[in-house]
């Protein structure tokens, strides 16, 4: 036999493409460091290739999940297995990373060669474009890999690959706030890694094999001792992932890291990182099918606590990025809410809710980036970072305002953001179907709180434009191309899935 | 096909107005909206006559279908919604809305109409919920942006209160719907009504009914969930108040009939005494509030709470008569409250406020047309025989006095007595308003009487209130078959 495990490059392409892209960007940077746009172009191409290869698995074209890295025939276990849900999450990770790359696309004003090859003062991220692009691509490769990882080893590696570049991305800004955010994120990641590693070790002890499979769980279920160990392991794994999903009580890093990094990096943390974390959680929970009362209660309590705390604190934020950070905490609660049922429908509901949230939140971040950009050249980076900067946006910049408005009502779960509403239905359905009425009541209360959070910002868009800050809102001609393209892409996706939610939900069901 | 026209024309025109109408003149926007509303009305009338149905998948992942149809329960509400949609647009032609562009104002009106029509057409429980939610944001915009221009803070407060209360109600309703759908295995309202809760455990039925009733009670609104209504009505522009009273509240009562009453009748029967008591308290509470209220618009809003109490009594009786009475009172209140809000809104625009404590010219002297319309509205509202309000209230009280066999007769009779007392209160506050606003000799400060479009709209509603009062059979015969299907024959 030529190799120990089978290797199918085509199946692995959603992971390999961004990884190869990251390498290519670094090589390109050695060869031609001044070609700023080229780095981004390579990154975008790599992600597009990854997207194209992820589509078959996501659509479930073949009845069996795409498998690779399989052991030889008798054992037959595969380390990589992408079913429809995993494929959909891969799509989400790749597409959101694409939007983030567009958000950091170099502006015409900062073309190279202006000042002896050094980055112009306005470039908010250190290290040049190659570093940023390579980090985003590496983290995306990790996110795509973790969605399909079947064994503990590659799952752990992929998870950390998805996390550590994010720490670097936050730190790249170089300000003291960014360092604080990065340190907070790093500390959290390390603790979370410790928990996850311990959980993985317990899983191995209990199940006897380092794979996430039904057979492994059944083996652990056979004896009372091993079952207890497995449950403890799952709790530790879920806890560690709770850090990455910004679930209460592991959420504290979120506002610091969001506000410390640049806005595109915050978008990355809010979108791609969350996809990676949920994908990892789904991989753990999928083989557990019944009788996990302890885990269920914990998930339900964590979901409610995240929603409530996130919504309440989002209500009092004045910085849109911080507001979105706390909204992430709240939405993470909604994402794990259906997981409290541990039925297959719950996993799909969770994935569907996450994807709807990712699209809407990316639109919001794209608008924030554009507004901050327009306010930035005057030298005050905080100018675009208050809700007041959005006053009257629906009048002065109707398209931008409409995109942000649609994103906000989607997050709130009200029409015309139909996708948000449908996602709420999707998330609540398994909860009610399983008869978890108390949990549903808490969710209802939080749906109302969420409406208050997002309409507070939405109402600002309607107010009379203030002459003083009216200039903070960018005009189409002066706006940078990259973020505009990112906004166009994500807003089109949002409108499409609002008209036909099936486009999104069909992926995960 | 006509159903799709009725839904998509207002929605599409609204989206177009939002996108492209920012720089159009008020008159142009109004014409466009008027044409859209007229097309919608004719499509609705055609659909009510032809009774077509649509059924095609929308979101297979959720088993959510575009499933629309018309029956006797929804037909009167559909026509009323479309007529009032046309009326509010026509009424808005006189003056440019304050607080935003005319295009946004009209777009919101059309979206509310489209959402309400969708709610009444929907035959899929989850689609019903989605359509139910469509009206929220446009109504919120109407209140917070286009409401009473003098009171910015109260506008924000009233809008937030409206949207949060109704979001709470509809999400509770969603929980009930999801429980119902997962327990019964279908979201088709017709199938659910035919099954009438068979096969669902009693305990689950009760929980479902509780979630549905408490959620819809916010929208109706029933005491004590009514506190959003007076402030929303007081602040909203005339067109918004009319749609709120005549269309949005109807979505709540319609939902009660369509969901808990039809799909889990046994569990609703167990909740009926509670509903009746709450309705009776609402009647008395609303009536008492009207006796002392100083703001005319707020007074009419409180009278809505009282009228919705009669609808609740009719539903709680569990008899055929009671259900007929509830549906009749529902439509009658739509006509009468629309009439009153058009008149009172017009008066507020002329007076500059709606404070009853300020001495003004007697309507009888200076504006005989508006005065006449107001008196007709008040008379209908207090349940004078020969006008629209009478039949709904009278039949409701009759029905709740002789309720279905499984209901506690003693308690329901007590609520009937309370309801009868409420009609006395209604007479008292109606006369109070007539005395303050309509009677008297003062002719200063003079205000202009109703003319042109406004008079056509108001006059048309006066005629409708008279027709419903004199010929109730017109409406009762439309709902009769559908009601029989719901509660079976008998009393």
């Amino acid at each position: 036999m030529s190799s120990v495990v089978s290797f199918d490059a085509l199946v692995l392409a959603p992971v390999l493409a961004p990884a190869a892209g990251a390498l290519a960007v670094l090589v390109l940077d050695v060869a031609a460091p001044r070609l700023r746009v080229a780095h981004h172009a390579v990154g975008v191409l790599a992600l597009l290739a990854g997207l194209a290869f992820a589509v078959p698995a996501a659509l479930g074209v073949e009845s069996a999940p795409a498998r690779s890295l399989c052991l030889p025939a008798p054992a037959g276990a595969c380390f990589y297995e992408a079913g429809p849900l995993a494929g959909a999450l891969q799509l989400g990770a790749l597409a959101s990373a694409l939007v983030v790359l567009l958000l950091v696309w170099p502006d015409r004003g900062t073309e190279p060669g202006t000042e002896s090859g050094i980055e112009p003062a306005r470039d908010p991220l250190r290290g040049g474009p190659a570093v940023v692009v390579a980090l985003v691509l590496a983290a995306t490769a990790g996110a795509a890999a973790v969605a399909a990882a079947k064994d503990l080893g590659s799952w752990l590696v992929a998870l950390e690959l998805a996390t550590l570049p994010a720490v670097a991305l936050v730190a790249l800004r170089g300000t003291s706030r960014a360092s604080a955010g990065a340190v907070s994120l790093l500390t959290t990641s390390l603790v979370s890694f410790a928990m996850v590693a311990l959980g993985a070790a317990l899983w191995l002890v209990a199940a006897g094999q380092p794979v996430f499979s039904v057979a492994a769980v059944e083996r652990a279920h056979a004896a009372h001792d091993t079952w207890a160990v497995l449950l403890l392991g799952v709790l530790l794994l879920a806890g560690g992932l709770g850090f990455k999903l910004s679930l209460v009580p592991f959420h504290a890093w979120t506002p610091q890291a969001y506000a410390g990094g640049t806005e595109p990096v915050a978008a990355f943390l809010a979108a791609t990182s969350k996809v990676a974390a949920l994908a990892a959680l789904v991989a753990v929970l999928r083989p557990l099918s019944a009788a996990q009362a302890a885990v269920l209660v914990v998930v339900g309590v964590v979901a409610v606590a995240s929603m409530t705390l996130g919504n309440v604190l989002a209500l009092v934020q004045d910085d849109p990025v911080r507001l979105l950070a706390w909204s992430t905490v709240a939405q993470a609660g909604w994402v794990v809410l259906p997981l409290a049922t541990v039925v297959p429908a719950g996993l799909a509901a969770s994935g569907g809710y996450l994807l709807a949230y990712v699209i809407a939140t990316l639109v919001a971040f794209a608008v924030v980036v554009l507004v901050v950009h327009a306010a930035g050249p005057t030298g005050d980076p905080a100018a675009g970072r208050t809700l007041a900067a959005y006053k009257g946006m629906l009048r002065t910049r109707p398209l931008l305002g409409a995109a942000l408005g649609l994103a906000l009502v989607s997050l709130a779960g009200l029409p015309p953001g139909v996708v948000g509403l449908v996602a709420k239905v999707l998330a609540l359905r398994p909860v009610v179907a399983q008869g978890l009425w108390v949990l549903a009541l808490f969710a209802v209360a939080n749906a109302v709180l969420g409406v208050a959070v997002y309409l507070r910002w939405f109402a600002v868009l309607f107010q009379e434009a203030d002459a003083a800050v009216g200039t903070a809102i960018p005009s189409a001609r002066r706006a940078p191309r990259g973020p505009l393209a990112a906004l166009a892409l994500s807003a089109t996706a949002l409108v499409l899935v609002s008209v036909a939610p099936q486009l999104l939900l069909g992926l995960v069901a | 096909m006509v159903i799709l026209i009725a839904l998509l024309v207002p929605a599409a025109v609204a989206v177009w107005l939002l996108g492209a109408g920012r720089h159009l003149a008020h008159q142009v926007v109004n014409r466009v909206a008027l044409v859209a509303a007229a097309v919608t009305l004719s499509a609705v009338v055609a659909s009510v006559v032809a009774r077509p149905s649509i059924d095609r998948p929308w979101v297979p992942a959720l088993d959510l279908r575009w499933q629309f149809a018309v029956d006797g329960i929804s037909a009167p509400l559909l026509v009323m919604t479309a007529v009032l949609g046309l009326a509010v647009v026509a009424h808005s032609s006189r003056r440019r809305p304050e607080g935003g562009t005319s295009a946004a104002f009209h777009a919101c009106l059309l979206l509310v109409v489209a959402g309400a029509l969708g709610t009444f057409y929907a035959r899929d429980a989850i689609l019903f919920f989605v359509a139910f939610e469509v009206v929220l944001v446009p109504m919120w915009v109407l209140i917070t942006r286009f409401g009473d221009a003098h009171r910015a803070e109260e506008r924000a407060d009233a809008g937030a209160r409206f949207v949060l209360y109704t979001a709470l109600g509809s999400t509770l309703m969603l929980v009930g719907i999801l429980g119902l759908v997962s327990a019964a295995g279908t979201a088709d309202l017709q199938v659910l009504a035919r099954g009438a809760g068979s096969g669902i455990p009693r305990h689950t039925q009760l929980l479902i009914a509780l979630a549905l009733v408490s959620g819809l009670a916010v929208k109706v609104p029933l005491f004590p969930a009514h506190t959003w209504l007076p402030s929303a009505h007081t602040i909203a522009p005339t067109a918004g108040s009319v749609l709120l009273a005549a269309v949005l509240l109807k979505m709540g009562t319609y939902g009660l009939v369509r969901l808990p009453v039809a799909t889990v009748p046994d569990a609703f029967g167990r909740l009926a005494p509670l509903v009746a008591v709450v309705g009776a308290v609402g009647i008395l509470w609303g009536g008492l509030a009207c006796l002392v209220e100083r703001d005319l618009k707020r007074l009419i809003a409180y009278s809505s709470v009282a009228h919705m109490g009669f609808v609740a009594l009719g539903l709680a009786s569990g008899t055929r008569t009671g259900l007929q009475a509830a549906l009749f009172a529902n439509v009658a209140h739509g006509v009468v409250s629309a009439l009153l809000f058009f008149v009172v809104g017009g008066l507020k625009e002329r007076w500059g406020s709606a404070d009853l404590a300020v001495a003004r010219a007697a309507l009888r002297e200076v504006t005989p047309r508006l005065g006449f319309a107001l008196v007709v509205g008040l008379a209908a509202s207090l349940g004078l025989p020969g006008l629209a309000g009478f039949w709904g209230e009278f039949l409701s009280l009759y029905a709740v006095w002789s309720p279905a066999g499984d209901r506690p007769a003693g308690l329901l009779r007590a609520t009937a007595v309370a309801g009868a007392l409420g009609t006395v209160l209604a007479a008292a506050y109606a006369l109070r308003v007539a005395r303050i606003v309509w009677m008297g000799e003062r002719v200063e400060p003079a205000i202009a009487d109703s003319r042109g479009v406004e008079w056509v709209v108001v006059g048309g509603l006066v005629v409708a209130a008279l027709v419903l009062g004199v010929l109730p059979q017109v409406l009762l015969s439309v709902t009769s078959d559908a009601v029989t299907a719901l509660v079976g024959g008998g009393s």
Side-chain angles (χ1 to χ4, degrees):
Chain A
M1 194 170 285
S2 58
S3 66
V4 181
V5 293
S6 69
F7 181 85
D8 187 346
L10 207 60
V11 171
L12 293 174
V15 181
L16 293 181
L23 275 181
V25 167
L26 292 177
V27 170
L28 182 71
D29 195 47
V30 173
R34 291 198 165 202
L35 289 177
R36 296 166 54 91
V37 174
H39 298 317
H40 287 81
V42 170
V44 167
L45 283 180
L47 288 175
L48 283 176
L51 275 174
F53 287 116
V55 165
L59 293 184
V61 177
E62 290 145 37
S63 51
R67 288 198 175 89
S68 188
L69 300 181
C70 295
L71 291 171
C78 293
F79 298 147
Y80 181 98
E81 183 179 310
L85 181 56
L89 290 174
Q90 285 183 335
L91 272 187
L94 292 163
S96 58
L98 182 66
V99 172
V100 171
L101 268 194
L102 288 174
L103 285 178
V104 294
W105 192 274
D107 189 14
R108 273 164 295 186
T110 58
E111 287 295 319
T114 44
E115 277 133 353
S116 62
I118 303 169
E119 301 305 323
R122 266 191 38 210
D123 199 328
L125 292 179
R126 292 180 175 183
V131 174
V132 177
V133 175
L135 284 174
V136 169
L137 287 177
T140 311
V146 80
K150 277 283 135 191
D151 70 301
L152 279 172
S154 41
W155 183 82
L156 277 175
V157 171
L159 187 61
E160 289 315 302
L161 181 59
T163 308
L164 291 178
V167 180
L169 279 171
V170 173
L172 274 183
R173 193 177 202 180
T175 61
S176 60
R177 274 173 83 200
S179 311
V183 167
S184 162
L185 179 53
L186 182 66
T187 325
T188 313
S189 302
L190 291 178
V191 175
S192 123
F193 181 72
M195 285 178 75
V196 168
L198 189 56
L202 289 176
W203 179 291
L204 184 57
V205 168
Q209 43 188 339
V211 284
F212 296 116
S213 69
V214 179
V217 173
E218 276 169 358
R219 185 177 173 282
H221 197 35
H224 186 264
D225 295 353
T226 52
W227 183 237
V229 174
L230 186 87
L231 280 188
L232 187 60
V234 169
L235 274 181
L236 281 171
L237 287 171
L241 290 170
F243 277 109
K244 301 194 193 303
L245 264 176
S246 312
L247 287 169
V248 171
F250 314 118
H251 62 282
W253 61 273
T254 316
Q256 291 180 29
Y258 277 35
T262 58
E263 295 77 19
V265 170
F268 181 83
L269 290 174
T272 319
S273 284
K274 294 292 170 282
V275 178
L278 183 74
L281 191 57
V282 167
V284 175
L285 291 182
R286 199 198 322 254
L288 303 163
S289 48
Q292 291 81 31
V295 182
L296 298 192
V297 172
V298 171
V299 171
V301 169
V302 163
V304 168
S306 297
M307 287 180 196
T308 314
L309 191 73
N311 278 329
V312 167
L313 284 170
L315 259 180
V316 296
Q317 302 300 322
D318 191 48
D319 176 353
V321 175
R322 278 183 185 270
L323 194 158
L324 285 171
W326 286 109
S327 121
T328 300
V329 176
Q331 301 279 353
W334 278 97
V335 167
V336 295
L337 178 71
L339 294 180
T341 60
V342 189
V343 290
L347 293 179
S350 180
Y353 192 94
L354 180 79
L355 292 181
Y357 150 77
V358 162
I359 296 177
T361 217
L362 279 176
V363 173
F365 267 111
V367 176
V368 169
V369 167
L370 283 167
V371 170
V372 169
H373 176 93
T378 55
D380 180 11
R385 293 279 287 259
T386 60
L387 287 186
Y390 295 80
K391 253 190 176 178
M393 196 186 225
L394 273 172
R395 306 260 181 90
T396 48
R397 298 283 298 125
L399 275 180
L400 215 53
L404 181 58
L406 187 62
L408 291 176
V409 290
S410 294
L411 288 171
L414 294 176
V418 179
V419 67
L421 182 71
V422 171
K424 287 235 157 54
V425 175
L426 192 69
L428 271 175
R429 195 171 60 156
V431 176
V432 177
Q434 295 293 310
L436 305 172
W437 294 91
V438 178
L439 201 55
L441 280 185
F442 278 109
V444 166
N446 274 293
V448 178
L449 270 180
V451 168
V453 167
Y454 299 108
L455 282 189
R456 181 169 155 257
W457 191 355
F458 192 55
V460 175
L461 305 182
F462 274 104
Q463 285 171 7
E464 304 289 340
D466 217 337
V469 288
T471 50
I473 295 170
S475 72
R477 255 173 254 115
R478 285 192 298 118
R481 287 167 298 174
L484 266 189
L487 177 62
L489 194 69
S490 49
T492 311
L494 185 59
V495 170
L496 273 181
V497 296
S498 273
V499 174
Q502 179 62 18
L503 290 177
L504 187 74
L505 304 186
L507 288 178
V508 294
Chain B
M1 188 63 204
V2 279
I3 293 179
L4 280 185
I5 292 178
L7 292 176
L8 290 182
V9 165
V13 171
V15 171
W16 178 78
L17 281 176
L18 284 177
R22 297 189 329 120
H23 304 296
L24 295 179
H26 169 65
Q27 290 304 331
V28 180
V29 171
N30 188 260
R31 273 312 136 66
V32 172
L34 199 62
V35 170
V39 171
T40 308
L41 174 59
S42 35
V44 166
V45 170
S47 73
V48 165
V49 173
R51 306 266 167 119
S53 63
I54 294 177
D55 187 4
R56 61 185 56 159
W58 182 35
V59 187
L62 273 179
D63 205 15
L64 179 53
R65 310 176 69 78
W66 282 109
Q67 199 172 0
F68 298 110
V70 185
D71 69 2
I73 297 175
S74 55
L77 294 168
L78 284 167
V79 174
M80 188 171 78
T81 303
V83 168
L84 286 174
L86 186 64
V88 292
V89 172
H91 184 263
S92 307
S93 69
R94 297 177 308 126
R95 42 181 290 178
R96 216 179 159 283
E98 287 169 30
T101 61
S102 179
F105 179 80
H106 285 94
C108 287
L109 293 182
L110 290 175
L111 280 177
V112 170
V113 170
L117 289 176
T119 310
F120 296 140
Y121 274 128
R123 281 298 167 277
D124 180 291
I126 295 176
L127 182 67
F128 172 85
F129 165 73
V130 173
F132 203 86
E133 294 282 78
V134 167
V135 298
L136 269 188
V137 171
M139 200 49 164
W140 174 75
V141 173
L142 280 176
I143 295 173
T144 47
R145 281 310 311 164
F146 298 98
D148 192 331
H150 304 298
R151 299 186 276 183
E153 261 182 36
E154 283 179 46
R155 259 188 355 234
D157 177 66
R161 219 185 252 224
F162 161 77
V163 87
L164 295 181
Y165 267 78
T166 28
L168 174 68
S170 51
T171 320
L172 268 177
M173 179 182 84
L174 172 67
V175 169
I177 289 178
L178 288 174
L180 178 67
V181 168
S182 56
T186 175
D188 187 327
L189 285 172
Q190 276 151 322
V191 178
L192 284 170
R194 232 175 286 136
S198 59
I200 305 176
R202 262 174 73 86
H203 173 68
T204 314
Q205 279 198 35
L206 189 64
L207 283 173
I208 291 171
L210 201 59
L212 290 173
V213 171
S214 53
L216 287 160
V218 177
K219 190 82 167 187
V220 170
L222 293 178
F223 181 88
H226 67 279
T227 48
W228 62 270
L229 184 80
S231 62
H233 268 312
T234 315
I235 298 294
T238 304
S241 299
V242 170
L243 287 182
L244 203 53
V247 177
L248 262 64
L249 305 193
K250 304 301 158 289
M251 289 163 58
T253 43
Y254 174 79
L256 279 178
V257 174
R258 198 53 96 183
L259 285 165
V261 172
T263 59
V264 280
D266 294 344
F268 183 79
R270 276 186 280 166
L271 291 178
L274 184 66
V275 173
V277 169
V278 162
V281 173
I283 294 173
L284 295 177
W285 188 276
L288 290 172
C290 285
L291 281 180
V292 294
E293 182 55 57
R294 275 178 52 172
D295 185 299
L296 189 50
K297 268 184 114 174
R298 197 181 264 273
L299 189 152
I300 307 293
Y302 272 116
S303 81
S304 283
V305 177
H307 287 139
M308 286 299 132
F310 283 103
V311 176
L313 286 188
L315 291 178
S317 74
T319 61
R320 192 171 177 285
T321 319
L323 204 52
Q324 283 270 47
L327 292 170
F328 190 93
N330 210 15
V331 175
H333 174 256
V335 171
V336 174
S337 67
L339 170 63
L340 283 172
F341 274 114
F342 271 127
V343 172
V344 169
L347 287 175
K348 186 176 179 182
E349 283 163 18
R350 290 173 171 85
W351 289 340
S353 85
D355 192 344
L356 287 176
V358 177
R360 307 182 198 279
L363 294 188
R364 188 175 65 174
E365 299 296 328
V366 290
T367 59
R369 284 172 172 181
L370 273 180
F372 172 69
L374 180 70
V375 168
V376 172
L378 288 172
S381 170
L382 71 83
L384 205 66
L387 289 168
F390 171 72
W391 294 106
E393 297 189 1
F394 175 74
L395 288 176
S396 282
L397 290 179
Y398 169 77
V400 85
W401 184 260
S402 48
D406 58 339
R407 311 279 153 107
L411 182 67
L412 290 189
R413 287 194 177 171
T415 63
V417 173
L421 206 59
T423 59
V424 179
L425 288 178
Y429 72 71
L431 293 177
R432 167 175 176 252
V433 172
R435 184 177 56 78
I436 297 174
V437 179
W438 183 67
M439 292 203 339
E441 309 294 333
R442 281 178 67 98
V443 289
E444 288 294 318
I447 50 171
D449 201 356
S450 186
R451 276 180 290 109
V453 179
E454 189 191 24
W455 178 236
V456 171
V457 168
V458 169
L461 286 169
V462 168
V463 173
L466 277 170
V467 169
L468 281 180
V470 177
L471 301 169
Q473 212 50 41
V474 176
L475 181 59
L476 291 173
S477 64
V478 174
T479 54
S480 165
D481 290 347
V483 166
T484 309
L486 269 187
V487 290
S491 56

